[in-house]
Amino acid sequence: MNEPGKAELRSWIRARLAALDPASRPGESGRIGERLTDLEVWRVARTVLLFSPLRDEPDLWPLVDAALASGRQVALPVFDAASGTYAAREIVHPERDLVSGRFGVREPGPDCLPVPLAALDLIVVPGLAFTKEGWRLGRGGGFYDRLLKASPAVRCGVGRDEQLLVHLPTEPHDAQLDFVLTPSCTHRCRGLPD
């Protein structure tokens, strides 16, 4: 039997996520946030890239406010139409700094300062599926893979338990994560200390 391709897996996992009870999302998101803030890589990170969640992604937005309150530099991805890639821009006042981006996702507005990818200490990324070894299945554009490969930051994937799979097909352009966090598990994928 042939192994399912990425497109088939994306359809399957989207259906799986759609079948989950939306009422469980806040509690699961809170547990993922607690796992993340328990990690040493979070405690020592001075510049973090977080994300604005879609409906089926963990909502870690409270970490934006917590990171800002602790004096960290917080950045979010912003789509650069000229290059077809994501860049990072700093947010200081989330209620004023965010606009609706190309994909309908909240992202920093044009007045927000760019943050060099090399300056990031920690990148937290969503995905459709993950493995314990740190492989990630994204939505199909390769945007996060290019961003992850362009930065030396620690890479942390976050998702629900139902998104953790035994195996994912990988390609040379796929970026491996250092950690994968779900509500019930913390997986160290590439030998980093917690």
Side-chain angles (χ1 to χ4, degrees):
M1 183 172 193
N2 289 338
E3 178 179 285
K6 288 185 174 182
E8 293 170 287
L9 279 172
R10 285 186 183 102
S11 294
W12 179 78
I13 198 71
R14 281 187 178 109
R16 192 174 188 185
L17 290 172
L20 296 176
D21 180 4
S24 65
R25 182 180 179 222
E28 290 180 345
S29 296
R31 288 192 296 279
I32 293 169
E34 288 169 8
R35 287 187 178 284
L36 180 56
T37 57
D38 282 346
L39 293 175
E40 180 69 14
V41 294
W42 171 266
R43 291 192 292 269
V44 301
R46 301 311 311 150
T47 303
V48 297
L49 182 77
L50 295 166
F51 62 93
S52 293
L54 297 174
R55 233 175 355 134
D56 60 357
E57 294 173 343
D59 184 355
L60 302 181
W61 199 254
L63 295 183
V64 170
D65 296 327
L68 288 170
S70 69
R72 291 178 172 89
Q73 183 179 33
V74 176
L76 296 179
V78 60
F79 188 72
D80 178 4
S83 65
T85 61
Y86 275 118
R89 287 186 184 258
E90 181 178 13
I91 60 168
V92 179
H93 305 285
E95 65 283 350
R96 291 195 315 246
D97 292 345
L98 299 178
V99 299
S100 181
R102 176 176 172 188
F103 301 109
V105 178
R106 293 177 302 168
E107 61 182 40
D111 294 334
C112 295
L113 295 176
V115 176
L117 297 180
L120 297 171
D121 298 315
L122 175 65
I123 299 174
V124 182
V125 297
L128 285 176
F130 303 91
T131 69
K132 292 178 183 179
E133 294 76 32
W135 297 111
R136 173 186 167 274
L137 179 68
R139 296 185 181 269
F143 301 115
Y144 266 116
D145 286 313
R146 289 191 289 278
L147 185 149
L148 291 168
K149 286 196 167 188
S151 175
V154 174
R155 310 159 175 182
C156 182
V158 293
R160 298 172 91 165
D161 291 314
E162 292 82 359
Q163 293 174 270
L164 195 62
L165 305 181
V166 173
H167 175 75
L168 285 172
T170 59
E171 299 174 63
H173 67 265
D174 292 330
Q176 191 176 11
L177 303 170
D178 299 297
F179 293 88
V180 173
L181 307 180
T182 71
S184 66
C185 296
T186 298
H187 298 284
R188 290 167 183 80
C189 309
R190 300 197 316 161
L192 290 180
D194 68 0

